[in-house]
Amino acid sequence: GRSTFLLLLFFAIVTSLGALVSWMAQAPAKWTQLIPINLKTDGNDVVQTIATEDSLLNGSQNQPSVAENLSDHSCGYGIPQLFVQVTEAVHQVVSHDVNREIQPWENWVQWVAGQFYSPLLRTQNPRWIVSGGRGDCSESAAVLQAILIQLGIDSRFVGLGGHVVLEAECQDICHTLDPDYGIVFPCSTEQLSFQLSNPDSGWLHEFGVDEPSAVRYREIVCSREDNIALPWNAPISPRLKVFEDLCAALVWLTPVFAWICVLCAMRAP
């Protein structure tokens, strides 16, 4: 009947607007400017741009792997300069906020689903995390991991007493990258825990951590609860990542299906 047709037309228009708003929200200027870093050694550019909208988010494989060159461009403690710069850049872009949730204008399908299953209100999409400018430790780490993957650098999430960091390898040497604090350590999380177990260790102060934060950070790293290391290059929650990708597809598939229904209704006798 006419009321059914009008309802389908209204649904098609609303979902189309939702898809358009979502698309527009996905391309803020500051995302393409995320980390235009130049690493210069003896006047040579090692990496000109490590994160762009096309290379990082659209899965382009055109970015050359720089993992084999990292050890040639290091700073203090033998830490690759690239690790320090990308970790600090993500730290500056993503402010710590444990309450950051997906918004309806970002992905209305996921937002609706999140009203029934609250974990879906969180996002692992680096575009949304950066465009929102806020996220918790795991979401900052997700942005950093996305960058490292595009650079051909293996990394993995490591949980430390509820805090999440990344371990990344360079020349078979494991480093701990913490974008939430903007710190890189020249060792694995296990070695870091051993190093900081000594209350007289001045490591954190050497890396610019103030005393109140150092006390809390030592408690986190030395904790033996909720410690887990995920597989290399795996998302922090593979199951939720699948659901999030499905919701992203439904943002576009829903209006397409709705318009098909509208056209069928128009052709019906």
Side-chain angles (χ1 to χ4, degrees):
R2 181 177 177 81
S3 59
T4 302
F5 173 77
L6 291 176
L7 183 62
L8 281 173
L9 181 61
F10 175 77
F11 182 72
I13 293 174
V14 170
T15 54
S16 297
L17 289 174
L20 179 62
V21 170
S22 177
W23 176 77
M24 293 175 63
Q26 285 188 61
K30 69 175 180 177
W31 170 250
T32 59
Q33 300 167 1
L34 173 57
I35 313 174
I37 293 176
N38 288 326
L39 295 181
K40 295 182 181 293
T41 302
D42 299 329
N44 297 319
D45 289 350
V46 179
V47 181
Q48 292 184 343
T49 303
I50 67 168
T52 66
E53 183 177 357
D54 291 334
S55 66
L56 180 54
L57 293 174
N58 297 335
S60 170
Q61 300 301 317
N62 296 327
Q63 286 277 16
S65 173
V66 297
E68 64 273 12
N69 298 322
L70 290 181
S71 61
D72 296 331
H73 308 281
S74 60
C75 50
Y77 292 95
I79 301 173
Q81 187 179 0
L82 178 62
F83 283 178
V84 175
Q85 292 195 356
V86 294
T87 301
E88 176 59 27
V90 174
H91 174 68
Q92 293 296 328
V93 170
V94 183
S95 301
H96 182 82
D97 186 351
V98 298
N99 297 315
R100 199 277 193 227
E101 295 181 345
I102 197 79
Q103 299 300 314
W105 58 83
E106 294 174 331
N107 186 321
W108 67 268
V109 176
Q110 185 173 341
W111 180 82
V112 171
Q115 306 309 307
F116 302 94
Y117 185 57
S118 58
L120 280 174
L121 288 174
R122 310 296 300 193
T123 179
Q124 300 179 60
N125 188 325
R127 185 193 298 272
W128 294 133
I129 299 168
V130 170
S131 65
R134 299 178 292 118
D136 61 16
C137 52
S138 65
E139 290 158 350
S140 295
V143 174
L144 183 55
Q145 185 189 58
I147 296 170
L148 294 178
I149 287 175
Q150 287 300 316
L151 292 173
I153 300 171
D154 292 330
S155 65
R156 66 176 180 177
F157 292 97
V158 179
L160 299 170
H163 185 60
V164 177
V165 298
L166 279 183
E167 284 186 344
E169 286 191 337
C170 169
Q171 300 294 310
D172 296 325
I173 299 176
C174 193
H175 293 72
T176 299
L177 287 62
D178 188 341
D180 200 39
Y181 279 80
I183 312 172
V184 179
F185 297 100
C187 60
S188 67
T189 52
E190 184 177 354
Q191 295 168 322
L192 179 62
S193 176
F194 176 78
Q195 179 73 23
L196 297 184
S197 63
N198 179 5
D200 296 325
S201 172
W203 248 32
L204 291 175
H205 298 294
E206 293 180 35
F207 286 93
V209 181
D210 59 43
E211 183 58 32
S213 298
V215 172
R216 174 59 181 151
Y217 200 85
R218 183 176 285 107
E219 292 175 353
I220 291 172
V221 173
C222 296
S223 170
R224 289 292 180 264
E225 298 179 2
D226 195 24
N227 290 0
I228 185 173
L230 299 186
W232 291 93
N233 298 327
I236 193 165
S237 176
R239 181 171 59 89
L240 290 179
K241 181 68 165 59
V242 170
F243 277 109
E244 185 168 7
D245 291 343
L246 176 61
C247 290
L250 287 175
V251 167
W252 295 97
L253 292 177
T254 301
V256 169
F257 179 75
W259 281 112
I260 291 175
C261 291
V262 169
L263 292 175
C264 291
M266 292 176 62
R267 291 175 178 271

